[in-house]
Amino acid sequence: MTKVFGYTFILFVVLFPFATASYSQVPTVGTTSTYNGTATTHSWSQVVNTGEDYLTACGVYNSGTTTVSSVEFNTSEAMTVTTVTQGGTTIWFAYLSRPTVTTANIEVTLSASQNITAGGMTLNGANDGAPDVTQTASGLSNDPQISVTTTNANSIIVDCVGYNANAGFTADGIGQTLQYSAAFSFSLEIGSSTKNMASTGTFLMDWTIGSGAKDWGAIAFAIPEPQASGNSRRIWK
């Protein structure tokens, strides 16, 4: 309350408080890439655009004794690798949180020269750090499957399936979307698919190989939206 020229005025101050708005959507797919080659060190170009904050890469080769020495992006950004081997066929799957926004190479170094087929994919709106869940599976059949249980709502399941032939295959799970596939001659094929999970639960990533039983391996990550309070945004309410 204050007086001006003998009149009394009551002043009302309206405060506009900050409100915290969290991300509330499943991470989305950004850009993809594919590759085929024969070498010890393999590299191919991958685009990471602004807003694409997670990078995955996967591949397949035939040799039970050859190992993956390293997977890197942009020369020095090391990617964390998981592998599974079935009947001499090795599948590897790698991730990198918060890659540099640029166009650069994914580089895979093996312990010996091998034919490989591989690919890469970015995500938008993913949590910082390791996936919530990493799951592996393998078998000898024409129907690769891998079951993943998410631990956070608004997660995306990303899987990689590879096998020792090129017979064509499809991603058959309900709501499962093939994001890329690549093949090396008649000896190798790789594919990566996604499934959006708005709530927690278990989902079977299901594939069908086009012709007969093959040695296959599958690896899947469950990657949620940002979880830490530091990933929230402050907006005017």
Side-chain angles (χ1 to χ4, degrees):
M1 186 184 309
T2 186
K3 285 187 176 182
V4 179
F5 300 117
Y7 294 94
T8 300
F9 295 87
I10 299 176
L11 299 179
F12 294 92
V13 178
V14 180
L15 299 178
F16 296 90
F18 281 109
T20 299
S22 61
Y23 296 90
S24 58
Q25 64 179 14
V26 175
T28 58
V29 174
T31 55
T32 63
S33 61
T34 57
Y35 167 83
N36 294 290
T38 304
T40 300
T41 298
H42 303 260
S43 64
W44 70 96
S45 180
Q46 172 69 50
V47 177
V48 178
N49 293 309
T50 300
E52 295 173 353
D53 45 20
Y54 217 88
L55 174 62
T56 66
C58 71
V60 60
Y61 60 86
N62 278 332
S63 175
T65 59
T66 300
T67 58
V68 179
S69 301
S70 65
V71 182
E72 295 181 331
F73 175 66
N74 193 27
T75 305
S76 61
E77 297 176 51
M79 302 181 70
T80 302
V81 186
T82 299
T83 62
V84 63
T85 298
Q86 167 69 31
T89 299
T90 297
I91 293 83
W92 56 267
F93 202 10
Y95 71 85
L96 174 63
S97 177
R98 304 301 184 262
T100 298
V101 175
T102 186
T103 299
N105 284 343
I106 297 173
E107 184 173 285
V108 182
T109 302
L110 306 177
S111 60
S113 178
Q114 293 292 339
N115 301 333
I116 77 165
T117 185
M121 181 169 64
T122 61
L123 300 175
N124 302 276
N127 191 44
D128 190 8
D132 278 354
V133 178
T134 299
Q135 189 69 42
T136 64
S138 60
L140 174 59
S141 69
N142 72 333
D143 59 342
Q145 296 180 338
I146 184 165
S147 180
V148 183
T149 300
T150 58
T151 56
N152 280 293
N154 293 322
S155 294
I156 188 170
I157 298 173
V158 184
D159 76 340
C160 175
V161 173
Y163 68 100
N164 63 343
N166 175 14
F169 58 177
T170 56
D172 299 326
I174 298 172
Q176 181 182 349
T177 303
L178 177 66
Q179 298 297 343
Y180 64 83
S181 64
F184 189 100
S185 186
F186 296 103
S187 61
L188 298 167
E189 189 167 13
I190 197 79
S192 184
S193 68
T194 58
K195 163 68 176 179
N196 293 346
M197 298 289 286
S199 58
T200 58
T202 300
F203 186 77
L204 186 67
M205 305 293 276
D206 191 11
W207 296 75
T208 299
I209 296 173
S211 175
K214 301 293 187 293
D215 285 313
W216 58 266
I219 304 170
F221 299 146
I223 304 166
E225 65 172 349
Q227 300 295 305
S229 59
N231 285 320
S232 296
R233 293 173 293 178
R234 302 199 52 96
I235 61 171
W236 287 101
K237 186 176 181 180

